[in-house]
Amino acid sequence: MGTSTERTDDLAIRQPRQERTRQAWARILEAGVALIEEGGYEAFTIAAVCERAQVAPRAVYDRTTSKDALFLAVYEHGVIRVTADQHVFTELQSREGLSPTELITAAVTALTALFARHAAFLKPILLLSGAHPEVLRRGRDHVHLLADAFTAVLLTARDHFTHPDPEAAARQCFATAFSACVVRTAHGADFATTPVDHDTFTSHLALSTARTLLAPHPAAT
C-alpha cells in the first residue's frame, strides 16, 4: 500500500525532488518511526525527529508546516513495512499439499507473526487510533485489505467448511483472530486472560479457527 491521499491542505506533504532532499526526507521518516516505536506519540515532536534524523528543522518545514501531517507521513512509512510482510498470504493461496487444518494454522500463524514482528510500531498506533480519527480511518482501510488477504487463504479450503456461509465464517474468523492480536499487542498478553507465550497463543487461536470452520455446524445438519 502506498501513502493515502491527503484529505486537506493541512495534511499535504510536498514531496522532495532532489536526491539530497530525498535522502534527508528518508532519514526523517525513519527517525519518526523509531521515535514512535521507542516512546509512542508522546515522543513524537518535530524537534525530536530533526535531532534523530540529523537535519535542520527547515528539512521538515520545506515539506510541511504541520506536525500532524508529518506524523501521518511517518505512520504511512511504518505501515508500508507491515503491509510488505503480508505477501505471505498471497503465497499461501497457491501453496499445495496442505490439509484444511494445516492451511488454517498457517494463515493464523502468519497473522500472529505479523503482529509480533511489528509490535513496537503497532502498539502505539493501536493505542492512538481511538483518539485520532485520521489514523483510525487509514487504519481501517489497511485492515480491510489484510482481512481480504487472510480470508482469501481460508477460502481456498471452503469445500471443507461446515458453515453454511463459508465467506461470512472466514471473515468472522479473521475478525476474531485480528481482535485477539490487537488486544495482545496493545495491552499485553495478560490483559484478557492468563498470559501464554507466542507459540501457545498462536496454537490456541488456530485451533479455535479450525473448529469454527471445520467442525460440524448446527445449521448444516
Side-chain angles (χ1 to χ4, degrees):
M1 279 170 243
T3 301
S4 298
T5 302
E6 309 299 352
R7 299 183 62 172
T8 71
D9 290 341
D10 291 340
L11 299 182
I13 295 293
R14 295 180 288 276
Q15 295 298 329
R17 297 181 179 179
Q18 300 178 349
E19 179 61 24
R20 178 177 59 82
T21 54
R22 284 198 295 268
Q23 291 177 359
W25 183 240
R27 294 200 304 275
I28 288 167
L29 295 177
E30 289 291 322
V33 170
L35 286 169
I36 292 170
E37 290 179 342
E38 293 171 6
Y41 185 72
E42 294 76 12
F44 187 91
T45 66
I46 289 179
V49 170
C50 291
E51 181 179 1
R52 184 72 172 250
Q54 297 185 324
V55 299
R58 182 176 178 179
V60 170
Y61 292 118
D62 281 347
R63 310 274 72 83
T64 182
T65 58
S66 165
K67 173 192 171 182
D68 206 33
L70 176 61
F71 175 79
L72 290 171
V74 169
Y75 161 79
E76 292 289 350
H77 186 68
V79 166
I80 286 172
R81 296 179 176 180
V82 180
T83 56
D85 271 356
Q86 292 174 199
H87 66 86
V88 65
F89 295 106
T90 302
E91 295 170 359
L92 282 173
Q93 289 181 52
S94 57
R95 189 170 172 183
E96 299 179 355
L98 295 180
S99 70
T101 299
E102 290 171 336
L103 183 70
I104 291 167
T105 300
V108 172
T109 299
L111 183 66
T112 61
L114 186 72
F115 272 86
R117 279 195 301 273
H118 300 282
F121 176 74
L122 289 175
K123 177 177 180 176
I125 294 300
L126 291 169
L127 293 173
L128 176 65
S129 62
H132 197 301
E134 184 62 10
V135 170
L136 181 63
R137 183 188 73 82
R138 296 184 184 207
R140 184 182 295 113
D141 291 342
H142 294 310
V143 171
H144 286 176
L145 292 176
L146 176 59
D148 289 344
F150 181 92
T151 301
V153 174
L154 297 188
L155 287 176
T156 60
R158 65 186 303 154
D159 290 346
H160 299 274
F161 291 2
T162 55
H163 195 283
D165 188 338
E167 182 166 355
R171 289 194 176 277
Q172 186 56 52
C173 284
F174 169 79
T176 300
F178 178 81
S179 298
C181 290
V182 166
V183 170
R184 184 179 177 89
T185 303
H187 302 293
D190 61 347
F191 184 78
T193 185
T194 302
V196 295
D197 61 37
H198 175 81
D199 290 343
T200 302
F201 169 71
T202 300
S203 65
H204 286 172
L205 204 54
L207 179 60
S208 176
T209 304
R211 285 179 173 173
T212 298
L213 297 175
L214 304 177
H217 194 276
T221 60

